[in-house]
Amino acid sequence: MRLLPRASRRALIAAGAVGALAMGVTVALPVVNAMAASGCAVTYTVNQWQGGFTANITIKNLGDPVNGWTLGFAFPNSGQQVTQGWSATYAQSGANVTAASMGYNGSLATNASTGIGFNGSWTTANPLPTSFTLNGVVCTGATNPSSPAPSGSPSASPRPSTSPSASPSPSQPVGQTPVAINGQLRVCGVNLCNRFNRPIQLRGMSTHGIQWFANCYNDASLDALASDWRADLLRVSMYVQEQGYETNPTGFTNQVNNLVEEAAERGLYALIDFHTLTPGDPMYNLDRAKTFFAAVSARHAAKNNVIYEITNEPNGVSWATIKNYAEQVIPVIRANDPDAVVIVGTRGWSSLGVSEGGNSTEIINNKVNATNIMYAFHFYAASHKDNYRAEVERAAAALPIFVTEFGTVTYTGGGAVDTSSSTAWLDMLDRLKIGYANWTYSDADEGSAAFKPGTCNGGQYAGTAVLTESGNFMRNRIRTADNFPTS
Ligand code: IDC
């Protein structure tokens, strides 16, 4: 039941902020036969824009328990296409679409619900499908009888894009989440400060590439991050190349927007990572960056939980080039969201230049011409040790630094956890109040991933049974009390 209002709200937020058209339909016909062994109810909510849309679907099983299901529906016209789905395997033939359950969500008890979704495209018009089947049986159940929306009509009256206080997750009372306590952040001297102008350190996790691991980011995993890990921050890592943003700008923008909103609902800060990697010259993606950041900053301008990371790891380019890039992208963000903190990547894979034979002096002597910005530093504990730590400590006296990505393993993302180096790093970051996001909150089959392979095919993320050595190490570090200043 929780999915319906949230999905609807999301559609309305989009409508308000970007002028898109939001629609919702609940298939709400009487339940025909109380004795039936099958039965289902489907809610299908769409957020659409010119040429594209996101559909969020809730499936409720009103019949006997099923183990494996296929949802079927037909688009009203053949110009409508599924382009990228999640939480189900999609197939389309003409206007007919099927979405088959995955291993982890195939079992649906009587009255159990599950949420799936997809990004799609449309050409001439985008009316909603009106009939759904589950395992071949037409769904006739009422999902939400108290507030049915007539087919094809706009959903209820628009609401402001954010309420004054971020809505917390059920397990975190109002006023206790990191965002509720700290509010809008700003850079003060070399620190990140909260609304009381006091330095704070944010500790959290980075997603893996959302083009590969979308199934790891759902209500259960994000609840675990907020409530079990007690994290402050989710870094949303959107690769630009490697089948990322460049292949479907609207779809990936949407995916990022959804995760930012999921973070906001749980009182977590969201770090939007424009994950450039190869090619290392950020200028290669300048136009894409402007388009992307114009969209996300417009969408989230009224929120206080968003931090922008405009380029992940520049490499093979001069600091002057990175600075030039930053000075073109930052104004695009500031035009919509003037008070947000922006983080700029540094030379040599965000090593402050060290991995390419330089150091932070080139930045200190030639800072980005903008206020309220920080500089990124990345490390992988098994590869980067004392000389890197010394440089960070030196730089942190002159520059606001944020460790937007680091691993407990080698720079390949794999290998064994280096506990002593990781501990030395995090003790130093704690002491200097430097925020961090650990690579990765995912079940990738590599040492840096927090979850054992296959975890994201199940519904369980809280606790330690699902964690790798790195995950255990990081959860123990992140769970400790924040003690954010409150005056
Ligand atoms: C790695 C992933 C790996 C993926 C590879 C290529 O862990 O699964 O195949 O990227 O995209 C970084 C990058 C980050 C890397 C990570 C580990 O920001 O994208 O992720 N790393 O190699 N910088 C240093 C290390």
Side-chain angles (χ1 to χ4, degrees):
M1 288 301 93
R2 208 165 138 224
L3 287 172
L4 174 64
R6 181 179 294 170
S8 311
R9 182 162 70 244
R10 211 178 270 148
L12 291 169
I13 289 167
V18 297
L21 174 62
M23 308 182 289
V25 60
T26 301
V27 177
L29 302 172
V31 179
V32 192
N33 180 353
M35 300 295 288
S38 55
C40 42
V42 170
T43 307
Y44 183 103
T45 310
V46 158
N47 161 29
Q48 77 171 28
W49 55 92
Q50 190 59 46
F53 65 103
T54 296
N56 281 298
I57 306 171
T58 306
I59 304 164
K60 184 173 184 181
N61 176 25
L62 300 174
D64 290 339
V66 296
N67 198 356
W69 46 260
T70 299
L71 178 76
F73 61 88
F75 284 128
N77 72 56
S78 57
Q80 295 166 296
Q81 293 283 331
V82 174
T83 54
Q84 181 197 21
W86 52 88
S87 304
T89 304
Y90 288 82
Q92 182 169 359
S93 169
N96 294 317
V97 178
T98 56
S101 57
M102 317 285 283
Y104 68 93
N105 62 5
S107 295
L108 273 184
T110 302
N111 288 326
S113 297
T114 191
I116 66 172
F118 65 90
N119 290 323
S121 61
W122 58 276
T123 48
T124 49
N126 192 35
L128 305 182
T130 52
S131 175
F132 301 85
T133 60
L134 195 69
N135 290 345
V137 176
V138 177
C139 296
T140 55
T143 302
N144 187 10
S146 58
S147 59
S151 171
S153 75
S155 25
S157 58
R159 291 159 44 152
S161 62
T162 49
S163 50
S165 58
S167 48
S169 77
S171 50
Q172 287 194 308
V174 173
Q176 294 306 305
T177 67
V179 176
I181 296 169
N182 294 298
Q184 178 62 52
L185 306 173
R186 67 177 65 85
V187 177
C188 52
V190 295
N191 288 110
L192 183 63
C193 280
N194 70 5
R195 64 193 166 108
F196 305 107
N197 261 319
R198 303 277 299 276
I200 61 163
Q201 177 197 34
L202 298 180
R203 296 175 296 164
M205 296 296 294
S206 176
T207 69
H208 204 293
I210 56 173
Q211 79 275 40
W212 297 312
F213 289 89
N215 66 330
C216 289
Y217 312 109
N218 51 55
D219 279 352
S221 69
L222 298 175
D223 284 349
L225 185 64
S227 303
D228 179 49
W229 288 57
R230 302 179 198 154
D232 309 320
L233 168 83
L234 173 72
R235 180 191 196 224
V236 179
S237 188
M238 186 197 71
Y239 278 73
V240 185
Q241 277 71 47
E242 301 189 60
Q243 300 307 306
Y245 177 83
E246 67 178 1
T247 65
N248 183 1
T250 311
F252 280 99
T253 302
N254 232 342
Q255 209 181 339
V256 169
N257 285 339
N258 286 341
L259 288 172
V260 170
E261 270 143 27
E262 296 289 348
E265 288 182 19
R266 291 164 176 81
L268 293 171
Y269 288 94
L271 177 57
I272 300 180
D273 162 30
F274 192 68
H275 201 87
T276 59
L277 184 59
T278 307
D281 183 351
M283 286 299 188
Y284 178 82
N285 288 303
L286 178 63
D287 288 345
R288 291 181 194 92
K290 287 181 176 173
T291 303
F292 172 74
F293 283 107
V296 293
S297 62
R299 171 72 168 255
H300 304 296
K303 295 190 178 67
N304 59 3
N305 75 317
V306 182
I307 304 171
Y308 300 93
E309 181 182 3
I310 59 175
T311 174
N312 169 51
E313 292 191 350
N315 57 87
V317 291
S318 67
W319 168 244
T321 299
I322 303 166
K323 175 174 141 81
N324 179 12
Y325 168 86
E327 288 171 359
Q328 295 193 60
V329 176
I330 291 169
V332 173
I333 297 173
R334 291 282 156 76
N336 294 321
D337 194 351
D339 59 358
V341 172
V342 176
I343 304 178
V344 181
T346 58
R347 188 157 78 87
W349 297 275
S350 288
S351 69
L352 295 168
V354 180
S355 290
E356 289 180 352
N359 61 53
S360 56
T361 303
E362 67 188 15
I363 305 170
I364 295 168
N365 289 342
N366 190 20
K367 291 182 188 161
V368 172
N369 188 14
T371 54
N372 215 20
I373 63 155
M374 306 185 82
Y375 298 89
F377 179 77
H378 292 179
F379 67 87
Y380 280 76
S383 306
H384 309 121
K385 299 190 179 178
D386 286 342
N387 61 318
Y388 286 85
R389 280 192 281 268
E391 181 58 17
V392 171
E393 179 134 28
R394 188 177 82 90
L399 299 171
I401 308 268
F402 201 111
V403 174
T404 54
E405 181 186 309
F406 78 96
T408 59
V409 298
T410 72
Y411 69 86
T412 64
V417 173
D418 188 329
T419 308
S420 73
S421 177
S422 298
T423 302
W425 271 114
L426 296 186
D427 288 352
M428 187 183 91
L429 299 185
D430 291 355
R431 176 165 52 81
L432 298 172
K433 289 201 188 305
I434 294 179
Y436 62 73
N438 174 252
W439 186 263
T440 57
Y441 199 66
S442 83
D443 66 351
D445 192 3
E446 54 190 15
S448 53
F451 295 110
K452 292 175 182 163
T455 299
C456 301
N457 294 331
Q460 177 64 38
Y461 296 87
T464 55
V466 290
L467 299 179
T468 62
E469 186 185 353
S470 189
N472 244 305
F473 177 86
M474 286 314 308
R475 178 173 172 275
N476 284 335
R477 292 292 308 206
I478 290 176
R479 264 173 77 92
T480 57
D482 284 303
N483 296 323
F484 292 126
T486 55
S487 62

